[in-house]
Amino acid sequence: VQLVESGGGLVQAGGSLRLSCVATGFSFDYYAVGWFRQAPGKEREAVSCTSGRSGPVYYLNSAKGRFTISSDSAKNTVYLQMNSLKPEDTAMYYCALNGVCSPDSSDQAHWGQGTQVTVSS
């Protein structure tokens, strides 16, 4: 199992980014893939998750209405579309694999290496 994130970068406040998580070694149809983020000096927090059983789930109140999670089974890729970005969204963003959607980092079975998102004011 391998998860590879991409799409991070430097963007001005109010801008948008789309993160991608490409998975190999398993099918999204049977698993859940979540997005987490960790800012310097802070704990890792759950952002969103999607699975064939639950559909999209949003954990982060500040992201609701701004972030959208989606998946493309043919490409085995999960996306996180982030709009109206704020400086407080600055963090390393990770995707993670689990059997079901869970906001608990310790529940995740596999992690990607992360992609950095920096939002300037």
Side-chain angles (χ1 to χ4, degrees), residues 58-69:
Y58 296 95
Y59 300 115
L60 201 61
N61 286 332
S62 65
K64 292 177 182 178
R66 298 189 298 126
F67 293 4
T68 302
I69 192 169

Side-chain angles (χ1 to χ4, degrees), residues 4 7 10 12 15-17 41 44 46 51 68 71 74 77 83 85 91 98-99 104 106 110 112 120:
V4 179
L10 173 63
Q12 288 188 329
S16 298
L17 285 173
R44 191 169 297 188
S51 75
T68 302
S71 63
T77 301
N83 299 327
L85 283 163
N98 194 17
D104 194 337
S106 63
H110 298 278
S120 62

Side-chain angles (χ1 to χ4, degrees), residues 34 66 91 101 115:
R66 298 189 298 126
C101 281
T115 185

Side-chain angles (χ1 to χ4, degrees), residues 31-55:
Y31 293 92
V33 175
W35 283 99
F36 293 75
R37 70 184 189 184
Q38 187 167 20
K42 295 187 177 181
E43 292 188 355
R44 191 169 297 188
E45 59 183 354
V47 177
S48 183
C49 180
T50 188
S51 75
R53 279 178 284 184
S54 73

Side-chain angles (χ1 to χ4, degrees), residues 84-100:
S84 302
L85 283 163
K86 305 175 182 180
E88 50 265 42
D89 294 318
T90 295
M92 185 71 79
Y93 283 72
Y94 301 89
C95 63
L97 172 70
N98 194 17
V100 295

